[in-house]
Amino acid sequence: MNSVSLSGSLRENVGKKDAKALRAKGLVPCVIYGNNIEQVKFSTDARSFKKILYTPETLIIDFEINGTVYHTILQDIQYHPITDEVLHADFLDVNEDNPITVMLPIRTQGTCPGVMRGGRMNMNLSKLKVRGYVNDLPDNIIIDVSKLQMNQSIKVKDLNIEKMTVLVPENTIVVDVKAPRNAAATEETEEAAEGAAAPAAEAK
């Protein structure tokens, strides 16, 4: 998994008043927990979140706080209901000895023959929830669509997943190709016409 390095400062005080004062300075109150460590309550520049929110990737975030580096992943985030300003963020401390649960982005590769014939490819899942050790987790899940025909799909059980546990039902459709509505209607009309013509031909 890719990583990004950020910095933070320990919070001297904790509470709504302190949190409001931090936000007024352009800072976001945060906390790191997990792996039996004592909670680390800190603040970081609100602008730092651009690096971790405006990307499809799931990142390892290395926070340097008062000389100590914490390897984390974003666990939860709270937004202002009107302005979408980041109000608070929770980060989970990670290490190579303990598995973690993450959402990995899904990417497609190859030319889809179903699309070449006029079909529309639908990505039903953009990320896949998995559990595994951080050193075994890839940057994303790659799906080969070079054999995906019209009205076919690729399900979770069809994916080549190694060293991870997939936390999604195996029959969940990840990507499929549907025929255009007008093409499907034309096909149904043709099939109906063929079915009606057959008895007429037998009657002769």
Side-chain angles (χ1 to χ4, degrees):
M1 294 177 65
N2 289 326
S3 63
V4 61
S5 297
L6 301 176
S7 61
S9 300
L10 290 175
R11 295 176 61 182
E12 296 180 0
N13 301 296
V14 178
K16 292 183 178 180
K17 185 177 181 180
D18 177 68
K20 185 177 181 179
L22 288 172
R23 296 184 189 111
K25 297 177 182 178
L27 301 174
V28 177
C30 304
V31 62
I32 298 174
Y33 57 85
N35 285 324
N36 297 318
I37 69 168
E38 185 176 350
Q39 284 192 359
V40 180
K41 297 179 180 179
F42 68 104
S43 63
T44 188
D45 193 322
R47 294 171 295 183
S48 300
F49 283 86
K50 292 181 180 180
K51 296 182 179 180
I52 58 180
L53 294 180
Y54 301 110
T55 173
E57 296 183 77
T58 300
L59 300 169
I60 296 294
I61 305 153
D62 297 327
F63 275 109
E64 182 180 356
I65 303 171
N66 289 31
T68 301
V69 176
Y70 299 88
H71 306 292
T72 74
I73 59 171
L74 180 62
Q75 190 75 1
D76 190 29
I77 192 164
Q78 298 174 22
Y79 297 94
H80 190 282
I82 298 176
T83 65
D84 283 338
E85 171 192 3
V86 177
L87 298 178
H88 190 276
D90 294 352
F91 295 89
L92 177 68
D93 183 71
V94 301
N95 62 49
E96 61 184 21
D97 298 322
N98 295 312
I100 59 175
T101 299
V102 296
M103 300 290 288
L104 292 181
I106 297 174
R107 299 282 183 271
T108 61
Q109 70 175 14
T111 301
C112 177
V115 171
M116 296 295 290
R117 293 180 54 199
R120 183 178 65 185
M121 186 165 67
N122 304 299
M123 290 296 298
N124 297 286
L125 290 181
S126 60
K127 292 187 176 183
L128 189 65
K129 189 175 184 179
V130 302
R131 185 169 178 81
Y133 292 96
V134 64
N135 290 339
D136 294 332
L137 297 175
D139 295 334
N140 46 57
I141 303 293
I142 303 296
I143 300 179
D144 184 2
V145 296
S146 61
K147 296 182 180 179
L148 191 59
Q149 300 289 343
M150 191 89 75
N151 296 320
Q152 290 186 342
S153 65
I154 296 176
K155 299 180 179 180
V156 168
K157 64 182 179 182
D158 301 320
L159 303 180
N160 183 21
I161 303 293
E162 297 180 349
K163 298 182 179 180
M164 296 177 285
T165 300
V166 179
L167 303 179
V168 177
E170 63 176 14
N171 284 323
T172 301
I173 295 176
V174 180
V175 58
D176 61 13
V177 176
K178 297 291 187 182
R181 289 185 177 180
N182 56 348
T186 300
E187 185 176 336
E188 291 177 0
T189 301
E190 291 176 351
E191 290 179 354
E194 290 177 1
E202 291 176 1
K204 293 179 180 181

